[in-house]
Amino acid sequence: MCGPFIDTAAQVIDAALRASIHYLDVAAEQAAVLAVFERFASAARDAGVVVAPAMGFYGGLGDLLATAAMGEWDAADEICIAIALDSWKPTQGTRLTGQRNPGRHFIFSNNRLERADPPPARKWNFPAPFGAQDVVGLSLSETITISQHLQRLRFARISIWYRLRIFAIPTRLRRRRRTKAVAHPDIRYGSNRSRGRVERRAVVRGRDIYAITAPIVVEATHRVVNGLANRTGVVAAGEAFAAQAFLTSLSPTHLSFELHS
């Protein structure tokens, strides 16, 4: 199903629940994804089906990386998300979605979701060939999905930055100011977590937005229909599946995944 999901998700989910059919989408829209968690959690659980919004490049991939990096740890000071693309052309659906989602978005700060401006622009030191780049904050569905299931593990803030000219976003988890964010060309996601003198980093490399979205949502669908999801109800990617195993199952055919401690 294509966006804007703010216009379509609720109606399709209603129909899916009446028919006892699982529902997955690839929404990047914060409002649409948050509404799914708030409106359908009980109904999906009672129907015994999986409703999984944002199961794609935006939302799902960052959520899986953050979950894999957290591992068995129970706290982090900050989760940052980073992406680097060497090129990107938004589809008509993406452009329409942007028009339907103006104004302030949600950020996760002080252990809660709140409407606010994204974090201020800053320099981000990407690996070669990008190097140091100006990046701007922009909040998408990762903020919602991560906050819905990792919040019980205690982290204070989610920060997301984009390099818009070549389109980039970083992913990291920070503890005691000992983190590094990694984002490489084509697509590289980095998710870092540092605790004391220990640091973890999860990295994904792939071809493009759509060549990553398709394998994620297809693999997720396969697991859901075969009863391999962790639970029913409204779920985020890292909540529905074992994050590290899920990402490893896609590597190296569709993307490469590495987890460093």
Side-chain angles (χ1 to χ4, degrees), residues 147-195:
S147 69
Q148 292 301 308
H149 74 104
L150 286 182
Q151 61 181 344
R152 65 180 179 273
L153 302 180
R154 298 196 311 276
F155 56 90
R157 185 167 59 251
I158 301 173
S159 300
I160 304 176
W161 286 277
Y162 288 73
R163 177 175 173 246
L164 290 178
R165 188 168 61 87
I166 301 184
F167 210 75
I169 326 174
T171 307
R172 78 184 173 199
L173 290 87
R174 188 166 64 199
R175 174 95 174 167
R176 300 180 188 172
R177 300 180 181 178
R178 293 181 56 84
T179 51
K180 299 175 182 178
V182 173
H184 295 252
D186 294 334
I187 302 169
R188 320 269 189 191
Y189 272 82
S191 182
N192 298 342
R193 170 156 186 186
S194 175
R195 187 174 187 176

Side-chain angles (χ1 to χ4, degrees), residues 19-76:
S20 297
I21 295 173
H22 303 295
Y23 170 93
L24 298 87
D25 70 30
V26 293
E29 303 152 66
Q30 288 190 323
V33 174
L34 182 59
V36 171
F37 277 97
E38 291 178 339
R39 176 175 172 181
F40 295 103
S42 296
R45 187 170 55 251
D46 293 344
V49 301
V50 171
V51 172
M55 191 64 69
F57 181 89
Y58 296 113
L61 182 55
D63 188 275
L64 288 163
L65 283 167
T67 306
M70 288 289 280
E72 77 285 1
W73 288 13
D74 62 0

